[in-house]
């Protein structure tokens, strides 16, 4: 029955206990017997880091006042890098549980995901979690929630994922406050694909929510945005495992298996319909995922190139937001230029390549994509400093900006402002949320926060600042390409695009760092930082020499000169044929320049 279905998701900041609370809901409705640990976070990485990376969907049965209800819970990631997954999950729901930690209060991520939910007109049920903790402050946190969404104080449910307090109230509220899905069961099928997973035996399995119409097993279906057609071999609902059914009706959440082999044919946010009676238009809000950060990924052993390609393709099936294309570098050989949603996403992909596919890879300095306009006004996107055209041909360069929001306590405002200004940020506004909590909003270049901004923010605020951002268009900027030359030869893997004001200090620091890391050779190594043809910094790694004068004692100075001249000639010849190997440590050190 459509009126007895409730679809809802959970919105929370990282580590506010949403996966634990979800487990309690599943346990209470007897969907699963919890064996310990998070049941929905099934990836090893998710368990170790305590974060949710993929969205998960699960169905619960619940009885209230003698009526049976079907509750579909879609658990969403809390981290900023996975916000596209969150937006799709929100679009598939009619309500959301807003979970706030009673010990930490409202944080930046919560606010950004909350606004997303409000834009989709979801019914919000506020919950204060971790009320059993000795340092919980439910009163103050309730004040913050009332300020934030303007609800009544009595609407806020106090709960604890650990002890199971308040779980029954939450389930009651879900049934009573969240509306049933609206949709026409007689209309042509129109379903929103909100996630897909890869199964090595059955191909790609897409998760969807039916907005209008219904779907029967064996019907032929098509994806509107990709235009591909398939037969629905098996459809069903998602309990802890997949449970197949003959038919899915309007408002339900389910999965479809249709033997799809390639990842690119299923896009999250696409619309699914039947081929014999297709719907007129796709569900609004579909967008291609745009990577924000780019980095080169190279195998350490060159013969592993094909294995790396296969590993990345398999990983892409499970993680649609990863993009990659082949590229080559003089220093590192063949590899791929990969696009990631953010730094955490990049770290997770690297970690998964290592664990799931045993791939040892080198990652180059992460950078963002720039738009370069030449003198004729033609625009090209550059993801890699090596692809930058000659300085004389460029009219101007535009770089991506972000709108960042930092929530912190008042005693850290000074250092955080200094950090943001150092990263070329402009303060837009400053709001006091409640008590001593303040929200700072900045407009900043994405390239500046890519390397170490988040770590610095956490350390200067002793972990008390939360950070969230979204893209805010492109703006013209004075960028230059900084090359590192070793004995006059540019090392392409070390070149970076940087702002004119930072170029000189950055170049000098890189030269000093490389001087420490390059092993000494039999000849001098000149390390230079250059912008175009202009050298802006130089360091020299001194040569190792044999003491050729040891056998001379006394005698004329010309005998010593002769031996030294002979050595000098040898060194000069050696320098012409010698090449400088850049150790792996040096590439990593550039990432950690401080």
């Amino acid at each position: 029955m459509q009126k007895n279905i409730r679809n809802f998701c959970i919105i929370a900041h990282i580590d506010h206990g949403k996966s634990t609370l979800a487990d309690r809901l599943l346990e209470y409705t007897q969907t699963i017997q919890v064996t310990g640990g998070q049941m929905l976070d099934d990836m090893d990485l998710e368990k170790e880091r305590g974060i949710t990376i993929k969205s998960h969907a699960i169905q619960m049965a619940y009885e209230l006042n003698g009526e049976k209800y079907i509750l579909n819970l879609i658990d969403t990631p809390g981290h900023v890098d996975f916000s596209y997954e969150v937006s799709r999950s929100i679009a598939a729901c009619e309500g959301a549980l807003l979970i706030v930690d009673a010990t930490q209060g409202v944080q930046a991520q919560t606010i950004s995901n909350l606004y997303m939910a409000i834009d989709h007109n979801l019914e919000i049920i506020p919950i204060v979690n971790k009320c059993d903790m000795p340092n919980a402050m439910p009163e103050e946190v309730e004040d913050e929630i009332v300020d934030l969404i303007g609800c009544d104080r009595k609407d806020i449910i106090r709960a604890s994922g650990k002890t199971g307090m308040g779980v029954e109230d939450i389930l009651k509220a879900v049934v009573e406050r969240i509306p049933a899905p609206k949709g026409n069961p007689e209309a042509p099928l129109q379903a929103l694909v909100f996630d897909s997973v890869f199964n090595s035996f059955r191909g790609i399995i897409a998760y969807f929510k039916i907005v209008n119409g219904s779907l029967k097993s064996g019907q032929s279906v098509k994806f509107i945005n990709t235009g591909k057609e398939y037969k629905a071999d098996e459809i069903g609902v998602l309990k802890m495992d997949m449970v197949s059914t003959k038919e899915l009706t309007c408002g339900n959440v389910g999965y479809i298996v249709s033997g799809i082999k390639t990842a690119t044919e299923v896009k999250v946010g696409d619309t699914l319909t039947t081929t014999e009676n297709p719907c007129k238009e796709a569900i609004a809000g579909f967008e291609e995922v745009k990577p924000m950060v780019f980095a080169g990924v190279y195998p350490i052993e060159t013969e592993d190139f094909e294995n790396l390609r296969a590993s990345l393709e398999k990983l892409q099936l499970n993680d649609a937001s990863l993009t990659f294309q082949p590229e080559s570098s003089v220093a590192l050989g063949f590899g791929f230029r990969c696009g990631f949603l953010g730094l955490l996403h990049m770290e997770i992909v690297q970690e998964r390549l290592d664990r799931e596919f045993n791939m040892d890879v080198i990652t180059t300095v992460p950078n963002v994509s720039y738009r370069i306009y030449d003198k004729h006004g033609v625009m090209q996107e550059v993801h890699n400093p090596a692809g930058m055209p000659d300085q004389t041909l460029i009219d101007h360069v535009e770089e991506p900006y972000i709108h960042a929001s930092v929530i912190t306590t008042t005693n850290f405002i000074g250092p955080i402002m200094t950090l943001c200004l150092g990263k070329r940020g402009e303060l837009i506004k400053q709001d006091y949320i409640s008590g001593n909590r303040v929200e700072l909003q900045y407009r900043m270049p994405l390239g500046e926060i890519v390397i170490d901004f988040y770590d610095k923010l956490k350390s200067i605020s002793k972990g008390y600042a939360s950070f969230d951002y979204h893209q805010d268009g492109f703006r013209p900027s004075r960028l230059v390409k900084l090359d590192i030359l070793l004995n006059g030869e540019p090392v392409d893997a070390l070149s970076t695009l940087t702002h004119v004001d930072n170029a000189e200090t950055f170049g000098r620091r890189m030269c000093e760092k490389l001087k420490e890391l390059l092993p000494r050779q039999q000849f001098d190594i000149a390390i230079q930082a250059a912008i175009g043809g202009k050298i802006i910094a130089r360091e020299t790694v001194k040569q190792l020499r044999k003491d050729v004068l040891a056998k001379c004692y006394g005698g004329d100075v010309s005998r010593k000169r002769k031996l030294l001249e002979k050595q000098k000639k040898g060194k000069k010849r050696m320098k012409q044929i010698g090449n400088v190997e850049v150790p792996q440590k040096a590439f990593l050190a550039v990432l950690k320049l401080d």
Side-chain angles (χ1 to χ4, degrees), residues 510-524:
M510 274 178 74
C511 290
E512 286 162 7
K513 194 80 187 170
L514 283 169
K515 183 181 178 181
E516 293 167 22
L517 293 168
L518 288 180
R520 286 173 68 185
Q521 304 271 9
Q522 294 282 342
F523 50 89
D524 275 355

Side-chain angles (χ1 to χ4, degrees), residues 47 82 127 136 162 172 178 181 233 260 262 282 297 313 363 371 391 400 407 424 459 462 482 508 561 579:
K47 290 194 169 91
F82 308 110
I127 297 168
K162 199 186 258 171
K172 254 193 203 138
I178 295 177
D233 297 332
I260 306 169
T262 19
V297 173
E313 280 171 0
T363 314
R371 290 180 175 176
Q391 207 69 35
I407 295 184
R424 298 190 281 138
S459 56
K462 302 192 172 61
L482 181 74
R508 192 164 293 133
R561 278 258 62 86
N579 60 350

Side-chain angles (χ1 to χ4, degrees), residues 245-265:
T245 53
K246 287 275 172 269
E247 184 179 20
L248 281 173
T249 52
C250 186
N252 249 315
V253 172
Y255 70 91
I256 176 169
V257 178
S258 48
I260 306 169
K261 300 283 186 298
T262 19
T264 46
E265 295 179 15

Side-chain angles (χ1 to χ4, degrees), residues 484-496:
I484 298 292
L485 312 174
L486 296 181
N487 283 347
E489 290 292 319
V491 182
D492 59 348
L494 291 176
S495 58
T496 47

Side-chain angles (χ1 to χ4, degrees), residues 13-18 50 101 104 130:
H13 190 73
I14 312 156
D15 201 24
H16 277 203
K18 63 179 180 304
D101 186 334
Q104 296 181 34
K130 304 195 187 179

